[in-house]
Amino acid sequence: MTTEAISVRWVSLGRLAYDDALAAQQAQSEKLLAGSGDEQTVYAVEHPPTITIGRGGSRDHIVAPPSELERIDMTVREVDRGGDVTYHGPGQFVLYPILHLEPWGNDIGRYVRMLEECAIRVLAEVGITADRMEGFPGVWVGNNKICAIGVRARRRPSGEFVTSHGIALNVTTDLSHFQTIIPCGLADKGVTSVAQELGLTEPFDFAAWEKRMQHAFTDVFNVQLQAAAS
């Protein structure tokens, strides 16, 4: 495990369909798994309305009828990350780190906590006190989740983990869209956003939130970021 800052390629995708971002993740992940590349990469993105169902999820946790999903142009995808059902949409900042984890002790639990720490620091920067909740991955404000986490880890032949998927931070997200699902399968917990916590009405500024997350990610993971063309 190194103590020196390592280089991470940061790719800003902006607003992009879920399938296209997933394809980029998968292509980079396969390179790392096959040993045909070693580049640490992070994708920053915002999605149109999309429901994703993780490996531990169920379509039973989508509670809106198909007609309502069609009305709001909602895409539904089953994906290979951990966790249950979650929502992505406009006003949500999404981060997909495709990393091989030896520089961080090859420790998945530590990696998840580091992602949570990034979100906690970003939220503190705008005046929101958020924290972890024992037994429930993600970042919370009270009983309401403000940042979801869903990660997949696969092993290289060497045993080193390679990550995909990541975190989704609700900034100006339309929280009514979460009513189409039981978020993460937790009927007794709610969701919130930066806009709701602070009473903001400004539109989502992707670049500003990306800059905040870059600073937090640099500090928490001890890396040097290299901007790359999308």
Side-chain angles (χ1 to χ4, degrees), residues 1 17-18 23 33 56 63 72 78 81 96 98 102 131 137 139 143 165-166 174 181 184 189 206 208 213 222:
M1 182 172 56
Y18 184 86
L33 289 164
V63 296
I72 59 178
E78 294 186 12
R81 61 164 172 78
Y96 295 132
I98 315 300
E102 191 59 39
D131 209 344
V139 176
N143 202 46
H165 301 283
D174 185 346
I181 63 174
C184 302
K189 293 180 171 54
F206 181 89
M213 189 61 74
N222 188 29

Side-chain angles (χ1 to χ4, degrees), residues 26 38 46 49 56 63-64 92 110 167 171 208 214:
Q26 290 175 331
D38 214 42
E46 177 191 17
V63 296
Q92 186 185 71
R110 178 188 176 197
I167 66 174
V171 181
Q214 286 175 330

Side-chain angles (χ1 to χ4, degrees), residues 2-14:
T2 183
T3 58
E4 296 180 1
I6 62 173
S7 178
V8 170
R9 183 175 66 117
W10 185 284
V11 185
S12 181
L13 298 176

Side-chain angles (χ1 to χ4, degrees), residues 116 132-138 140 145 186 189:
E116 291 171 338
R132 300 170 179 85
M133 184 182 293
E134 184 67 31
F136 300 97
W140 301 76
K145 184 178 283 190
L186 302 174
K189 293 180 171 54

